[in-house]
Amino acid sequence: MLTLSQRTEGAEKIINTLALNPEDIVLFALADLNARYDEQETVLVATKENLFISDGKQTKTYALTDLQKPTIEEKIGTCALVAEYQGKKRVLATMTNSRKQECRLFVKYLHMQMDKGEITVDEKDFRQEQFCPKCHRRYPDPNRKVCPDCMDKASIVGRFLTLAKKFKGQIALALAAMAITSVLGIVSPYLSTSFFYDQVLDIRGTFYGDLLFVVTLMLTTQIVTILLTMFSDIITAKVSAKIIYDLKCTIFDSIRRLSMRFFTGRQTGGLMTQINSDSNGIYWFFVNGFPTFFSSIIQVVAVFILMMAIDIPLAIVSLLPLPFYLYAVARVIKHQRWLHARSYARNRSMNSVLSDSLNGVRVVKAFAREKEETHRFNHYSEQASEMTKKITYYHNTRFPGLNLLIYLSTLIVWSVGGWMAMKGQITYGTLMVFISYVGILNGPMFSFVNMSDAFTRCVNGMQRLFEIADASPDVLESEHPVAMPEIRGEVEFRNVDFSYEKGRKTLEGISFKIEAGHSLGIVGHSGAGKSTLANLLIRLYDVDSGGIYIDGMNVKDMAFEDLRRCVSIVSQETYLFAGTVLENIAYANPEASKEDVIHAARIAGAHDFIMRLPNGYQTKIGFGYQDLSGGERQRVSIARAILKNPKILILDEATAAMDTATERTIQEALERLSENRTTIMIAHRLSTLRNADSLIVIEKGKMPETGTHVELLKQKGIYYRLYQLQLSALKNIGVEE
């Protein structure tokens, strides 16, 4: 069967209602709308003879011999699967655009089935992002292009173990302790069964009647086992914690290096889940799972050797259920990987929704959307819960059967060994030790099944974390960056093109030049691309074509440290870290003295309100501490930029959150600050840009106008119309310019 969509739990239920033999299904896809264009999972299932369209409540069956010209028709925001059936054109199924590609493939292969009577997969169709190119399954998490069945798990584990190289001495000690513990675990049953019955209780035994010695030996063995177990557990916990610490540092360092595109495509809740949840899952596997696995392997090998030494035929007979058991375990583990991948995707979606709701709580309350947000969270929480229940159901129905299968070996030994003991071929003590060893052999087998769940989570977690570590930044520093410790501040854009998304240009053909120490005002409607110019200058993104130059040097060739040091930006969206006011301002220059911080705060007009805070500059802000108003936060942000003392200053709506009086005060301070400094000012309030040395107008990503304030007014173009609109608005509220 060629599966073009993820087989959800709801889809599985619908397929079951069709009462089809799974081997007869040749093609499957999933639509997401019903005939009334309401949201509803609808399965598209094709056999060699029929096409079935079902939403669980209503099923329509179409004979392929009567079906003609099936195709996907695009509508506004939706699509429809249409075909001629019995001489009439009919809408067979409807779907949103998110399902369009899958349904197009469904139609393509449906044509192939109708025309040739068989389906031949075209590999080119599965080089797209939503399908695994190897097995053609849809990825369980569309945000991660990883197939749980096809990923190379051995290389992932091997790569993780390279982090443990520097702890190889401690690991060797822990493994040695585990090995000794495993051997003692085999010796203990021997002492308490065969040795005790045949050598201590039997009058012919070597240690007949020497109970105290044997009991002391058994106690000593148990104490040594406990001590070695504690020793290995302590080392394992310490080493695992250090390895996970190194892994988290590696991941965070990778995140630090990544470009803005990486973060704009991901939600905070999802990233937090990856770093925290996955790291903890790996840690607990190596603390609890790996020691058990290692000890179990040693026990299995040692016990089997001993069983062969005691009685070869009985040992071989006891292993008869093993091949069937291993086959069943392999099937269970394979399906577990898929279940856990889907479960993780749903939990990450739930965490992302929770993060969005908490971060946007002010907006939620302002628009009285608490019920809707609760409903949205409940929806994702229910999906995650359903997946958890499905995994639990799978475990509870498969694991008991596996346990019963391996328990058959014990029954075989009791039957065959009991018959041999009655015939005098083996002693009763030998039978008991054999039974004990079969129990020891079965114990690891049981644990392998239980551990497969933890191992699956661990490998999936490793893969997700290495996915972040391997992510390549879009903006890279030059291999041989040019150091520019001192710059004059000349800025030039030469025919710059840029797109956030392919095929949709944000900026096109932008060219302008700012002499060192001069100022430039950038004007335009919201979304025109003004802030993008600032982002490109400091290389948060790279241009698609053209170039940006500082003092004649392409910013792509400059060292990141020099570029970010010489340019400072004050954005409309301010962010303050959890800490004191002093620490937030000094963030731009940690070596600055308190006097320097106060001086910068005075210039930004922040000193007076800071001194009115409970502890002045030592007042803690953010995360449950003192809250600041929007204007206060922006003034702290401006002070931070001033303290950096850059040669190029970017003010991106820097005074948008301030009242008119405060704005004028800060504008005067910024004018003084701008002396001998290249300043780029982005503002909607055109009155703040009148004194700029030159102005440019950005409209739909292009630059149709440039000149001074007076020159642009004389042109009576876009700038003139914007200025007149703002002038009228100010007059209406009694403000004269």
Side-chain angles (χ1 to χ4, degrees):
M1 174 176 58
L2 180 57
T3 301
L4 300 172
S5 302
Q6 179 181 330
R7 299 260 310 245
T8 65
E9 186 174 355
E12 293 287 357
K13 291 179 179 178
I14 297 173
I15 292 175
N16 291 336
T17 63
L18 300 178
L20 295 173
N21 187 337
E23 296 180 358
D24 293 336
I25 300 176
V26 297
L27 196 56
F28 166 82
L30 191 63
D32 53 1
L33 297 176
N34 60 21
R36 298 184 301 275
Y37 289 90
D38 295 327
E39 187 175 339
Q40 173 69 55
E41 283 191 332
T42 303
V43 299
L44 314 180
V45 175
T47 63
K48 293 181 180 180
E49 295 83 19
N50 298 305
L51 169 65
F52 298 90
I53 311 289
S54 177
D55 59 7
K57 299 177 181 178
Q58 184 178 12
T59 300
K60 295 182 179 179
T61 305
Y62 304 92
L64 297 187
T65 53
D66 296 333
L67 204 63
Q68 294 181 346
K69 299 179 182 179
T71 186
I72 296 293
E73 287 189 356
E74 296 189 27
K75 303 179 183 298
I76 300 176
T78 61
C79 305
L81 169 58
V82 299
E84 291 183 10
Y85 188 72
Q86 295 179 346
K88 294 182 180 180
K89 185 177 180 180
R90 302 189 183 189
V91 176
L92 307 185
T94 56
M95 71 281 315
T96 61
N97 285 331
S98 63
R99 296 285 182 185
K100 177 171 63 177
Q101 183 59 31
E102 299 161 35
C103 292
R104 281 191 186 281
L105 290 177
F106 183 87
V107 169
K108 174 181 176 177
Y109 288 105
L110 183 64
H111 273 290
M112 196 179 295
Q113 179 65 40
M114 293 165 57
D115 297 339
K116 301 179 180 180
E118 62 178 359
I119 290 176
T120 304
V121 175
D122 186 350
E123 298 295 336
K124 294 180 181 179
D125 292 332
F126 298 96
R127 291 176 185 170
Q128 305 165 57
E129 293 185 348
Q130 59 265 58
F131 297 103
C132 172
K134 186 175 180 180
C135 69
H136 306 144
R137 280 179 176 264
R138 183 177 175 85
Y139 293 123
D141 182 357
N143 294 318
R144 295 180 61 247
K145 316 309 175 193
V146 177
C147 176
D149 287 333
C150 301
M151 68 180 181
D152 187 355
K153 291 166 280 296
S155 63
I156 292 172
V157 176
R159 182 178 174 186
F160 177 82
L161 293 180
T162 58
L163 296 172
K165 282 185 177 180
K166 61 181 179 180
F167 306 107
K168 56 186 178 182
Q170 299 175 55
I171 293 173
L173 285 175
L175 293 178
M178 292 178 199
I180 296 172
T181 302
S182 300
V183 172
L184 292 177
I186 298 171
V187 171
S188 294
Y190 172 73
L191 292 175
S192 60
T193 53
S194 179
F195 181 81
F196 193 78
Y197 290 128
D198 297 341
Q199 301 298 326
V200 180
L201 299 183
D202 193 326
I203 194 170
R204 294 166 296 180
T206 306
F207 296 91
Y208 174 71
D210 202 349
L211 292 172
L212 182 61
F213 169 75
V214 176
V215 171
T216 303
L217 185 60
M218 293 168 61
L219 177 63
T220 303
T221 302
Q222 191 65 28
I223 292 174
V224 172
T225 300
I226 293 173
L227 292 176
L228 288 175
T229 302
M230 292 172 59
F231 175 74
S232 63
D233 286 350
I234 290 171
I235 292 180
T236 303
K238 287 184 176 180
V239 171
S240 298
K242 290 177 181 178
I243 293 174
I244 296 301
Y245 168 77
D246 290 344
L247 178 61
K248 285 184 176 181
C249 290
T250 301
I251 300 303
F252 188 80
D253 185 63
S254 300
I255 290 176
R256 179 185 59 81
R257 291 185 291 102
L258 292 174
S259 308
M260 288 298 296
R261 289 187 192 274
F262 176 85
F263 300 100
T264 54
R266 292 172 180 255
Q267 291 177 298
T268 304
L271 274 176
M272 290 174 63
T273 299
Q274 281 185 263
I275 297 173
N276 292 323
S277 178
D278 289 340
S279 297
N280 290 334
I282 296 170
Y283 171 76
W284 286 113
F285 173 77
F286 280 94
V287 169
N288 295 329
F290 178 74
T292 302
F293 175 76
F294 181 78
S295 300
S296 298
I297 289 292
I298 294 176
Q299 284 187 345
V300 167
V301 174
V303 165
F304 182 68
I305 292 174
L306 288 174
M307 289 170 66
M308 293 290 287
I310 295 171
D311 192 286
I312 293 177
L314 190 57
I316 294 175
V317 168
S318 69
L319 297 180
L320 288 178
L322 186 60
F324 304 99
Y325 175 79
L326 294 178
Y327 173 76
V329 168
R331 293 290 301 270
V332 168
I333 292 176
K334 182 178 180 180
H335 192 63
Q336 274 184 320
R337 285 199 300 269
W338 190 258
L339 288 174
H340 284 300
R342 291 172 61 183
S343 176
Y344 177 87
R346 293 190 179 184
N347 276 287
R348 187 174 66 178
S349 297
M350 180 189 71
N351 290 336
S352 297
V353 170
L354 178 61
S355 177
D356 286 344
S357 297
L358 294 178
N359 290 332
V361 64
R362 180 176 295 180
V363 177
V364 172
K365 289 187 174 296
F367 288 92
R369 301 285 293 180
E370 290 91 346
K371 290 184 179 179
E372 287 76 9
E373 285 299 313
T374 300
H375 176 74
R376 189 163 74 106
F377 175 77
N378 288 345
H379 170 71
Y380 285 95
S381 179
E382 183 180 9
Q383 286 189 332
S385 177
E386 286 297 323
M387 202 65 233
T388 301
K389 286 192 289 186
K390 190 170 184 178
I391 292 174
T392 304
Y393 174 80
Y394 186 78
H395 289 179
N396 292 341
T397 54
R398 300 305 190 275
F399 283 21
L402 292 173
N403 293 341
L404 178 61
L405 189 60
I406 197 63
Y407 183 69
L408 291 177
S409 61
T410 303
L411 298 180
I412 291 173
V413 171
W414 272 113
S415 302
V416 178
W419 179 81
M420 294 173 67
M422 288 188 294
K423 293 292 184 179
Q425 297 178 12
I426 59 174
T427 66
Y428 177 69
T430 300
L431 175 61
M432 293 307 297
V433 75
F434 219 93
I435 293 295
S436 298
Y437 283 157
V438 170
I440 293 175
L441 195 65
N442 289 348
M445 294 300 177
F446 293 145
S447 68
F448 288 158
V449 178
N450 295 325
M451 194 182 62
S452 66
D453 181 50
F455 178 73
T456 299
R457 293 173 183 268
C458 179
V459 173
N460 284 341
M462 289 179 187
Q463 200 285 327
R464 285 188 289 263
L465 292 178
F466 286 134
E467 179 186 350
I468 297 177
D470 294 340
S472 300
D474 299 311
V475 179
L476 294 169
E477 188 174 41
S478 172
E479 292 184 4
H480 305 287
V482 178
M484 297 184 67
E486 296 292 335
I487 69 165
R488 292 180 291 108
E490 179 186 276
V491 176
E492 184 178 4
F493 279 59
R494 297 180 190 172
N495 201 31
V496 168
D497 287 357
F498 175 74
S499 303
Y500 288 106
E501 301 175 8
K502 290 183 180 180
R504 183 182 176 186
K505 284 193 174 183
T506 304
L507 296 175
E508 183 177 359
I510 302 297
S511 297
F512 61 84
K513 185 175 182 179
I514 315 171
E515 298 294 337
H518 286 225
S519 60
L520 173 74
I522 302 178
V523 181
H525 293 95
S526 296
K530 304 185 298 298
S531 297
T532 301
L533 294 173
N535 293 336
L536 292 174
L537 178 59
I538 60 176
R539 288 198 73 194
L540 293 182
Y541 301 90
D542 270 343
V543 299
D544 296 336
S545 62
I548 302 173
Y549 300 83
I550 294 179
D551 291 353
M553 176 64 66
N554 194 316
V555 294
K556 290 184 178 181
D557 298 325
M558 291 179 63
F560 273 152
E561 183 178 355
D562 292 335
L563 174 62
R564 305 279 165 81
R565 175 181 48 78
C566 73
V567 182
S568 185
I569 184 169
V570 180
S571 174
Q572 181 179 358
E573 298 177 0
T574 60
Y575 185 84
L576 301 181
F577 296 94
T580 65
V581 176
L582 182 70
E583 291 169 343
N584 268 279
I585 297 176
Y587 190 82
N589 183 8
E591 298 179 358
S593 65
K594 185 176 181 180
E595 289 71 23
D596 294 333
V597 172
I598 294 174
H599 178 68
R602 287 184 185 276
I603 295 176
H607 178 73
D608 290 342
F609 87 77
I610 292 174
M611 294 307 297
R612 290 194 296 270
L613 295 175
N615 296 307
Y617 283 86
Q618 297 301 323
T619 302
K620 290 187 176 182
I621 56 178
F623 295 135
Y625 296 106
Q626 181 74 35
D627 195 15
L628 302 181
S629 68
E632 290 171 342
R633 295 170 65 87
Q634 212 154 17
R635 275 179 274 177
V636 170
S637 180
I638 292 172
R640 186 161 57 192
I642 293 170
L643 186 65
K644 189 176 179 181
N645 194 27
K647 280 293 184 178
I648 302 172
L649 181 65
I650 302 174
L651 304 175
D652 187 0
E653 297 287 353
T655 58
M658 300 178 189
D659 58 82
T660 305
T662 304
E663 180 191 9
R664 288 179 176 174
T665 301
I666 294 179
Q667 284 295 336
E668 293 173 1
L670 290 176
E671 287 176 8
R672 292 193 300 271
L673 177 67
S674 300
E675 294 177 5
N676 302 319
R677 197 184 312 273
T678 305
T679 308
I680 299 175
M681 297 178 288
I682 302 171
H684 284 104
R685 206 173 298 176
L686 304 186
S687 59
T688 63
L689 305 177
R690 285 187 302 184
N691 296 328
D693 295 317
S694 61
L695 297 169
I696 62 172
V697 178
I698 303 296
E699 182 74 10
K700 296 181 180 179
K702 298 183 178 181
M703 196 178 78
E705 297 179 11
T706 181
T708 64
H709 171 70
V710 175
E711 290 171 348
L712 291 177
L713 287 179
K714 289 180 179 179
Q715 291 181 23
K716 293 191 176 181
I718 298 172
Y719 181 83
Y720 175 81
R721 290 194 296 273
L722 289 172
Y723 188 79
Q724 290 298 319
L725 286 171
Q726 289 196 13
L727 199 62
S728 299
L730 290 172
K731 286 181 179 180
N732 288 336
I733 60 174
V735 178
E736 294 290 339
E737 282 287 324

